[in-house]
């Protein structure tokens, strides 16, 4: 309890020191509040002392609240409270003992606070990229119970020091309100736990998160001038990159399925044409790749750890609708049709054997929503969510047995669009 009290008081004390002696232009001129929500991917947890590794699902919506103080030169100090949660997917043992399928209540959660130093960069107009880092503490709750039997493996908590790295961008919506999109790497490196049998365990907890938030300035600032025109007609080029989250892939003619993929990437290049109205048409070449992690055969045979990768190259024709609303950013919706060539190369760890090594082509479609904002007269940045799915691929296992499956991917994309001058 003594360590927890010291950690909790530290960020408040530091924030008070930073603000001391600084005379604001007027009361609350530089103070803001922020609320955010997003998703978190937790790295596998190594339970030292048990010889076990825990694989986690994609986290439930994570949430954060923050109180910030802006300083001259683009610097901000931010005190945040956050909550992160991930379900346990499977527990592996180095000794070769049978894998454990956790029950629905098995999870790791972290309730924490941190003080961060953040630097905003002036990119012109309403767009503000930023970088930051912070230190804090969190209460980590870890629970593992075996599916069906309900046998308790671990149910314990610890308070640990944490650090985080931050990268993102803010977009001014009004003199008081900003939209913030950000990535955070959050790490609790030293967690001490007790297993159900009394054995001492040590582990760490790493979470990669993507979130969107609203930042409210207590007093309005001077409005930021827009950069150039919001839209240009004619031809454009676009490059995009972002993390991809592949859904579990069911094998249609088998009782097995690809039960988990690691976070991968989606990258694309597109050439398009924008009419003077709200419509754009583009041709896109993209690649998506995710590492395979688990193959689930059925409750009788259980799950096997896997390695290898699933990748797909696609060519899509996209139609984009971008209404000319009077906003500091331009929302848009996208729909696309095309085809994909996918390669599946997956091995099973337990038997060190190839499960599938084949490729095939299939149709594909995608939908997306996003928003863009100008950086310069000819350059715009956009962020968007896309859901991409294929038809069925006809593959073969090494022994010749057929395998029919599909690929579906959620992606969060950051793109730059260049419109050449006439």
């Amino acid at each position: 309890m003594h360590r927890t009290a010291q950690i909790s008081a530290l960020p408040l004390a530091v924030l008070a020191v930073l603000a001391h002696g600084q005379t604001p232009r007027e009361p609350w001129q530089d103070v803001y509040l922020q609320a955010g929500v997003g998703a978190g991917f937790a790295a596998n947890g190594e339970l030292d002392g048990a010889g076990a590794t825990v694989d986690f699902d994609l986290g439930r919506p994570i949430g954060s609240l923050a109180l910030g103080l802006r300083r001259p030169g683009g610097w901000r100090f931010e005190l945040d409270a956050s909550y992160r949660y991930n379900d346990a997917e499977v527990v592996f043992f180095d000794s070769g003992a049978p894998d454990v399928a956790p029950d629905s209540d098995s999870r790791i959660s972290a309730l924490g606070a941190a003080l961060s130093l953040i630097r905003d960069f002036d990119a012109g107009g309403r767009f503000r990229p930023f970088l930051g880092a912070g230190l804090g503490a969190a209460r980590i709750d870890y629970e593992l119970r075996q599916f069906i039997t309900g046998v308790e493996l671990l149910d314990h908590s610890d308070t640990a020091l944490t650090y985080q790295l931050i990268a993102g961008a803010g977009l001014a919506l009004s003199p008081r309100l900003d939209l913030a999109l950000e990535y955070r790497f959050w790490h609790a490196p030293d967690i001490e736990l007790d297993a159900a049998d009394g054995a001492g365990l040590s582990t760490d907890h790493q979470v990669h998160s993507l979130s969107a938030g609203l930042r409210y300035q207590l007093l309005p600032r001077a409005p930021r001038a827009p950069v150039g025109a919001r839209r240009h007609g004619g031809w454009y080029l676009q490059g995009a990159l972002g993390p991809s989250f592949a859904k579990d892939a069911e094998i249609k003619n088998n009782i097995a399925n690809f039960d988990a993929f690691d976070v991968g990437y989606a990258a694309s290049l597109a050439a398009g044409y924008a009419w003077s109205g709200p419509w754009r048409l583009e041709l896109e070449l993209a690649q998506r790749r995710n590492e395979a992690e688990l193959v689930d055969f059925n409750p009788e045979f259980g799950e096997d750890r896997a390695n290898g990768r699933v990748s797909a190259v696609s060519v899509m024709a996209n139609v984009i609708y971008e209404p000319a609303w009077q906003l500091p950013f331009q929302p848009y919706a996208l729909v696309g049709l095309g085809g994909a060539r996918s390669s599946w190369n997956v091995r099973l760890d337990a038997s060190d054997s190839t499960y599938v090594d084949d490729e095939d082509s299939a149709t594909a479609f995608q939908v997306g929503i996003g928003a863009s904002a100008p950086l310069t007269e000819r350059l715009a940045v956009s962020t968007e969510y896309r859901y991409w799915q294929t038809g069925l691929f006809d593959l073969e296992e090494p022994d010749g047995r057929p395998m029919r499956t599909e690929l579906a991917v959620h992606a969060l994309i950051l793109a730059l669009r260049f419109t050449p001058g006439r």
Side-chain angles (χ1 to χ4, degrees), residues 299-362:
E300 181 181 355
F301 294 102
E303 297 177 316
D304 275 359
R305 279 179 284 184
N307 63 80
R309 51 97 186 105
V310 175
S311 62
V313 175
S314 65
V315 177
M316 309 291 293
N318 301 321
V319 177
I320 300 103
Y321 179 74
E322 190 175 40
W325 294 340
Q326 296 302 308
L327 296 171
F329 61 94
Q330 288 298 301
Y332 61 85
L334 173 148
V335 61
L337 294 174
R341 183 74 176 176
S342 184
S343 175
W344 297 67
N345 186 339
V346 179
R347 295 181 61 84
L348 301 177
D349 284 4
S351 59
D352 193 28
S353 62
T354 298
Y355 184 55
V356 61
D357 187 5
D358 201 1
E359 59 183 41
D360 192 27
S361 299

Side-chain angles (χ1 to χ4, degrees), residues 92-117:
F92 305 119
F93 293 95
D94 299 337
S95 63
D99 299 339
V100 170
D103 69 12
S104 59
D105 293 327
S106 295
R107 86 292 183 266
I108 187 171
S109 62
L111 179 62
L115 179 66
S116 300
L117 176 62

Side-chain angles (χ1 to χ4, degrees), residues 121-129 224-227 374-376:
F121 300 94
D122 189 353
R126 296 183 169 95
F127 182 76
R128 292 287 191 274
R224 299 174 189 170
V227 177
L375 293 179
T376 68

